[in-house]
Amino acid sequence: MSTTTVEEPTEVAAAPEPFWTRQRRFGVALVLLGGLAAVLFGSLAPSKDARFTLTQDADGAAISINGQLGAVLFGVLAVVAGGLLVAGLLKRWSNTLLVIGIVTFVLSFLCWQVAGQFMSLEDTLSGTMDLALPLVLGALAGVLGERSGVVNVAIEGQFLMGAFAGALIGTMAGSVWAGLISAAIGGVIIAAILAVLSIRYLVDQTVVGIVLNLFALGITGFLYERLMQPDAVKYNAPPQMPTVKIPGLADIPVVGPVFFDATPLLWIALILVVVIHFGLNRTRWGLRTRAVGEHPTAADTVGIRVRGLRYLNVLLGGVVAGLGGAYFTLVATGSFTKNMTAGAGFIALAALIFGRYTPIGAFGAALFFGFAQKLAFYLSAINSPVPNQFLSMLPYLATIIAVAGLVGRVRAPAADGIPYVKS
Amino acid sequence: MLWIVHQAFPTSGEIPLKLELRGITKRFGDLVANDHIDITVEPGEVHALLGENGAGKSTLMNQLYGLLQPDEGQIVVNDEPQVFRSPRDAIASGIGMVHQHFMLVPVFTVAENIALGAEETRGGPLGWLDRRRARRDVIETSKKFGLPVDPDALIEDLPVGAQQRVEIVKALTRDVDLLILDEPTAVLTPQETDELLAVMRSLTEMGKSIVFITHKLKEVKKIADRITVVRRGKIVGTASPDTSEDELAALMVGRAVSLEVAKGPADPGRAVLQVSGLVVDDDRGIRAVDGVDLEVRAGEVLGIAGVQGNGQTELVEAVMGLREVRAGTVELDGEGLAGMSTKKILRSGVGYVPEDRSHDGVVKEFSVAENLVLDMYDREPFGNAFRLDVAKVAGNAKERVEQFDIRTQSAASAVGTLSGGNQQKVVIAREMSRPLRLFIASQPTRGVDVGSIEFIHGQIIHERDQGTAVLVVSSELDEVVGLADRIAVMYRGRILAVVSPDTPREEIGLLMAGITGGNEEKK
């Protein structure tokens, strides 16, 4: 009989936390922003009602507030939220406080802008969702690739191929579903090239991605001019994806018309967010994917096929990004045009990073970017003095701030972009 | 918390595993890494595979674990020949391995790491993870074998000793009967090493066999049932644990070697390096050096002992101007070094042997001659801002190669083609060629063959005797004790004590584990 005693290692107190934690720095930023909002927006805003209507029209049910009062009030609320963060109170709720701070800042801005006018909440939400939809799918494609260790900057190229294939095959087959499937295949084609070059031939993944974007732009542009333009009816008039209305639910104000009187592609995107979130965190596939993206050698030593899993994930990403491409030709507009994605793939990439490489985060970031874009449209429509270009640049600004680590560091998977070579 | 294990016999169903390697040969190009290796590991024994760095031990074990495939020869498990195409096959045959560099995902929990590759799922095509069962399995194995691990802790938060336990538990949950431990004690304190040896002993009592790869003679003598010595890819002998250390060393190196560092008493002079209240952060911004005071005198060797990762790296880098000094001062003969460029520090009379030779010590693609002047290439006599005097560089190389016994085909060969020991001699030759006031060596003999170790230690003592202040950082306690005139023990960014090298090992070991007390000799 053997008796082995093993003593637990003695715990030593961790180093004290520095005073300027992430929360505190956020708090200071919020106090400054909120103060700015209360003073600047408050003084600029006319003392007229700002009406936020529930429907598309100026009339009907609405939430109203005096613009000046609202601008000051919400600005002060942002200061309060920031102050609580700095003071280190309510630590458990610090993320909630942060969200409250940002939302109240935006509301203060809106009160100033909308004073004397109206803003339709339904229109804003539906516009946000429309603009965010391809970004969500593109960012999810990025999540799939990057969590397994393959950098995918070719989302833009996958969008273009998806949009093109969707339009071409959709028109020729006369079926929107055939178009949708073809769009996915279009995305997979780009993904396959990316996968083979980066996983098998170890080419620098960023370079391959950029080359693929140019390739996709070139080939779709060429085929558009030579094939589609001469005979648009035959090759470039895809049927549009129908909206499906769910009776009852569609009558809920604001949310109903946006989510329950929508195209199936929106539902697909929302379902994918949930599926990929739980897939990554709760399934065998997800655990292995994350392991391969963080420490491929460790995965290899327990018998996981590192390269195989990376191929699988990049190709799955191609499917998802291709579906995102379908949005452009089968949902948003009725035909393909040259370079019609206009950099949406890069904003999706930004959403991926801003969302910290997680499905839920990427979804939130895509929504935020969609909202900023929608707001830019709205401001130009009401002839706002704020240049709408300013809002258009928000996604990029937000990404730079996120990547620069000013708001807490974004940590990419450790083996992201590094090809796996057995030693 | 105390974990007590009562277990004497193999649990039912476990068949003891007998392993034979027959004529295993592995070539990489011209290099024969393993040359017809025959080894038999009997059930329940600790079989030590002793050899120097680069002798081919790890290559052999990687073939046994399915990471590499042998060019010739057979792996036979319980009298049946096996072919391992991947670690999965090896694990299925009952062979597990704990790698020298841990194969753990830092951002995963212990339970996730242990489950990885052999996940319990709740069935169905989705592969939904059964996390509760994964935790339970970890706790069960942990209790059964007396290896305390917390299933919910993140790997990156655990000290190396705990990470190693996780690795062992990971292998054991896969029901392996033969465990390969590759240099397992390299990162442990003496006490942790003793604990590991006790765990190994209890595992063999449960019928498991262990292949213990190491180059440390003391541990081999303590634990092994049989010893196989490997040199340059060949088995050069087998020995029993009664064999003396000197005999084992001679067998391992191929000639008689002296394990003691020959040196006379030190004659300390003025304080050359003075560090006070030094605070330095690591790459992640976490405090790595937390208020260090130390002093190195001319003509003495100050050794810094400690388990790797306790701030030694950051301390040295801060002194060398490679890392930002957050607070405190670093003075060389009274002149502040903080904020000075590394180039300037080197040229004011500091020699530096970095711990990561291949990244920071040499440029592998450059020739020996070029590497020898990396510090002075833009200075007379080797050149100036515009030109390099190739003849002078070559002349210098010829001299240094001879003086420092650098074994190379020619001074024009790329440094990458040299053995680890000879690469290190290139670094040391370069750094000792300037007039020095202070010489800093981090892990001076890591990955270096025993023959070169002797030579390098001799050079360090020679430098000391010339009146240079010497700072040696090493995670090998033997090396620190052998070289140092005073030993500073570093733990979690602090110097816990400065002791004399005559201090009992156990006491230094306790200090390395952060346990203070006893008679400290404060400088």
Side-chain angles (χ1 to χ4, degrees), chain A residues 14-105:
Chain A
E17 220 171 274
F19 179 78
W20 287 108
T21 57
R22 188 169 150 239
Q23 278 75 17
R24 286 220 162 85
R25 277 180 281 153
F26 276 135
V28 171
L30 274 183
V31 169
L32 293 176
L33 281 176
L36 180 84
V39 174
L40 187 70
F41 300 164
S43 59
L44 287 173
S47 184
K48 292 179 191 160
D49 269 5
R51 286 169 50 79
F52 299 92
T53 62
L54 297 185
T55 55
Q56 299 272 12
D57 321 308
D59 309 314
I63 303 162
S64 298
I65 186 166
N66 180 291
Q68 196 157 34
L69 175 71
V72 174
L73 178 70
F74 286 120
V76 168
L77 283 176
V79 172
V80 171
L84 287 172
L85 281 175
V86 176
L89 298 170
L90 304 175
K91 273 202 170 148
R92 285 184 53 194
W93 304 98
S94 56
N95 280 334
T96 319
L97 280 174
L98 184 66
V99 171
I100 290 173
I102 292 170
V103 168
T104 48
F105 174 77

Side-chain angles (χ1 to χ4, degrees), chain A residues 1-314:
Chain A
M1 188 109 179
S2 81
T3 302
T4 319
T5 57
V6 185
E7 215 166 321
E8 191 93 312
T10 40
E11 277 304 312
V12 172
E17 220 171 274
F19 179 78
W20 287 108
T21 57
R22 188 169 150 239
Q23 278 75 17
R24 286 220 162 85
R25 277 180 281 153
F26 276 135
V28 171
L30 274 183
V31 169
L32 293 176
L33 281 176
L36 180 84
V39 174
L40 187 70
F41 300 164
S43 59
L44 287 173
S47 184
K48 292 179 191 160
D49 269 5
R51 286 169 50 79
F52 299 92
T53 62
L54 297 185
T55 55
Q56 299 272 12
D57 321 308
D59 309 314
I63 303 162
S64 298
I65 186 166
N66 180 291
Q68 196 157 34
L69 175 71
V72 174
L73 178 70
F74 286 120
V76 168
L77 283 176
V79 172
V80 171
L84 287 172
L85 281 175
V86 176
L89 298 170
L90 304 175
K91 273 202 170 148
R92 285 184 53 194
W93 304 98
S94 56
N95 280 334
T96 319
L97 280 174
L98 184 66
V99 171
I100 290 173
I102 292 170
V103 168
T104 48
F105 174 77
V106 171
L107 284 174
S108 166
F109 175 76
L110 285 177
C111 284
W112 164 38
Q113 289 296 318
V114 181
Q117 318 227 22
F118 82 99
M119 182 184 208
S120 159
L121 292 181
E122 185 195 316
D123 179 55
T124 307
L125 182 62
S126 100
T128 299
M129 289 312 298
D130 271 348
L131 290 162
L133 180 52
L135 303 184
V136 171
L137 290 165
L140 285 178
V143 167
L144 287 171
E146 310 233 359
R147 288 306 282 273
S148 71
V150 181
V151 169
N152 182 3
V153 296
I155 299 170
E156 176 79 359
Q158 294 175 325
F159 273 176
L160 267 179
M161 281 299 258
F164 175 82
L168 184 71
I169 308 295
T171 313
M172 288 168 71
S175 152
V176 69
W177 306 114
L180 194 65
I181 291 167
S182 313
I185 293 171
V188 167
I189 290 172
I190 297 286
I193 305 175
L194 171 70
V196 171
L197 287 180
S198 61
I199 301 170
R200 174 80 182 78
Y201 292 103
L202 317 179
V203 186
D204 184 284
Q205 294 169 11
T206 311
V207 173
V208 173
I210 291 170
V211 168
L212 284 175
N213 286 334
L214 295 174
F215 168 72
L217 180 61
I219 195 163
T220 57
F222 172 76
L223 290 173
Y224 168 71
E225 279 172 12
R226 286 305 172 90
L227 183 71
M228 284 179 157
Q229 248 182 349
D231 196 349
V233 179
K234 203 167 158 198
Y235 296 115
N236 195 11
Q240 291 300 285
M241 193 174 283
T243 57
V244 180
K245 189 170 180 174
I246 298 180
L249 289 174
D251 298 331
I252 304 170
V254 186
V255 180
V258 177
F259 289 102
F260 301 109
D261 186 4
T263 63
L265 193 61
L266 177 67
W267 297 338
I268 291 175
L270 295 175
I271 290 168
L272 279 175
V273 171
V274 176
V275 166
I276 295 177
H277 171 74
F278 282 104
L280 272 180
N281 292 308
R282 294 295 182 88
T283 69
R284 176 167 55 196
W285 162 78
L287 187 73
R288 292 181 173 192
T289 294
R290 288 183 287 136
V292 162
E294 292 285 349
H295 196 334
T297 321
D300 194 12
T301 56
V302 290
I304 294 170
R305 291 177 54 232
V306 174
R307 289 169 162 212
L309 197 53
R310 286 186 170 176
Y311 272 113
L312 175 71
N313 279 331
V314 173

